[in-house]
Amino acid sequence: IEDVDHVKTVLWYDSVADISIPTDMLPEKMQKVFLSDEGTLMFIMYDTTMSADETMEAVEQIRAISNEQCFLSGMSAVVTDIRDLSDKEVPVYVLLAVILSLVVLSLTMDSFLIPIFFLLSIGMAIIYNLGTNVFMGEISYVTKALSAVLQLGVTMDYSIFLWHSYQENQERFPNDKDRAMAHAISNTFSSVLGSSVTTVAGFIALCFMSFTLGMDLGIVMAKGVVFGVLSCVTILPSFILVFDKWIEKTSHRSLIPKMEKLTHFVTDHYKVFAVVFLLVLGPAVWGYTKADVYY
């Protein structure tokens, strides 16, 4: 283990006493530190920081040369395990997010094909965002694990808004799809601009955390929102216009019922709703103060 790169020191009980000495003859303090009924403890210190790539590589090498009766613990080992686990599971839950989004959008939108173009345009924006991370030099594996799904969830609304705006403008310009799309892009951009800037500001606020993961995640996700807006008003309209006939052929009745009765009920009883939500606010604040937070 001492021969592994970036391992600085290894402390075992033979570091302070000859291994030929029976363990029962060792001082009680030493026995408590190094020995137990289940095994022998060995301290490994590295010449790099706890979460450095070199340290995690050393952890993997130590595990490779150890047998099944050796167990590596400590924060460096935990960080290595979390990194390997996230790298392994990222493709799985990104695929699950795509499948679930396709199912939900196919049922709630009025075309089975349009959700595919939503996800294609957002997917391209995600790749653009991850590609521009090269200018940062490096990003956290936590940011890498979160950014794709988070960007998908944050920017999906823009695509839905563009599609609905395009449908409304088609009624205004029934024989001119290009003009309808031009108005839809204009309406979408002006509407989502305020929302996207607010979202970007929220992510930029993370950059002021003393915990530097906030800066890492904030910069990446702020870029992601910008790319999401740009893809929504450039790539997605192109897909819709090119495959417009196919989208129409796969159109179906939306499964979302009209909310006219509910909207009238809310507007007729808005004072009641205001009082109810103010009453619920108390238990919510109490729950917030009582919820345990763990690291």
Side-chain angles (χ1 to χ4, degrees):
I1 292 175
E2 284 184 331
D3 293 336
V4 172
D5 290 339
H6 300 291
V7 171
K8 183 179 180 181
T9 308
V10 178
L11 294 178
W12 193 34
Y13 78 80
D14 74 336
S15 302
V16 292
D18 193 276
I19 196 171
S20 62
I21 299 175
T23 56
D24 292 338
M25 296 181 63
L26 294 174
E28 186 178 351
K29 288 184 178 180
M30 186 180 299
Q31 291 186 36
K32 289 182 178 179
V33 171
F34 291 105
L35 306 173
S36 71
D37 295 335
E38 298 178 352
T40 304
L41 191 64
M42 181 181 294
F43 295 93
I44 304 172
M45 290 179 282
Y46 307 94
D47 60 9
T48 51
T49 58
M50 179 182 68
S51 301
D53 291 337
E54 295 82 2
T55 302
M56 288 190 279
E57 179 64 26
V59 169
E60 293 178 349
Q61 290 185 31
I62 293 169
R63 283 176 170 166
I65 63 177
S66 304
N67 59 33
E68 295 179 354
Q69 293 176 308
C70 298
F71 302 95
L72 202 61
S73 184
M75 282 304 300
S76 295
V78 171
V79 170
T80 303
D81 290 338
I82 295 174
R83 182 200 62 180
D84 293 342
L85 186 64
S86 65
D87 288 344
K88 179 181 177 181
E89 293 188 346
V90 163
V92 176
Y93 64 70
V94 168
L95 179 61
L96 284 173
V98 170
I99 293 173
L100 292 174
S101 297
L102 276 175
V103 171
V104 172
L105 291 171
S106 297
L107 295 175
T108 55
M109 303 297 290
D110 52 5
S111 171
F112 289 114
L113 193 58
I114 191 64
I116 295 177
F117 297 120
F118 284 178
L119 292 172
L120 280 175
S121 64
I122 294 174
M124 293 171 71
I126 291 173
I127 294 174
Y128 296 147
N129 185 32
L130 295 178
T132 54
N133 290 337
V134 70
F135 298 108
M136 297 173 63
E138 60 182 8
I139 63 168
S140 164
Y141 66 89
V142 176
T143 300
K144 176 188 173 185
L146 293 175
S147 57
V149 174
L150 195 56
Q151 186 174 340
L152 172 66
V154 168
T155 60
M156 177 61 75
D157 295 348
Y158 310 152
S159 301
I160 297 173
F161 192 93
L162 176 82
W163 173 244
H164 287 162
S165 181
Y166 175 59
Q167 289 179 310
E168 292 174 0
N169 281 285
Q170 274 188 302
E171 296 178 1
R172 294 176 56 196
F173 313 104
N175 299 318
D176 194 345
K177 294 184 181 295
D178 290 349
R179 188 177 180 187
M181 181 57 76
H183 282 274
I185 293 172
S186 176
N187 294 339
T188 300
F189 189 74
S190 59
S191 297
V192 305
L193 185 62
S195 173
S196 61
V197 169
T198 304
T199 307
V200 169
F203 285 123
I204 291 296
L206 295 177
C207 297
F208 294 93
M209 292 173 59
S210 57
F211 187 34
T212 51
L213 175 62
M215 175 174 289
D216 193 67
L217 182 62
I219 293 174
V220 172
M221 286 311 305
K223 290 194 295 92
V225 174
V226 173
F227 280 116
V229 173
L230 293 177
S231 67
C232 176
V233 296
T234 53
I235 302 169
L236 182 58
S238 303
F239 280 146
I240 293 174
L241 291 175
V242 171
F243 297 98
D244 189 72
K245 292 182 180 180
W246 290 93
I247 294 173
E248 289 182 355
K249 289 181 180 180
T250 59
S251 61
H252 63 88
R253 184 178 177 182
S254 176
L255 298 179
I256 299 179
K258 291 185 177 181
M259 301 291 183
E260 293 180 356
K261 291 183 179 180
L262 177 62
T263 54
H264 287 302
F265 179 79
V266 172
T267 54
D268 291 341
H269 303 85
Y270 64 91
K271 293 182 180 179
V272 175
F273 279 97
V275 173
V276 168
F277 277 90
L278 285 174
L279 293 175
V280 174
L281 187 61
V285 172
W286 180 87
Y288 168 73
T289 58
K290 297 298 181 181
D292 291 331
V293 178
Y294 67 93
Y295 177 74

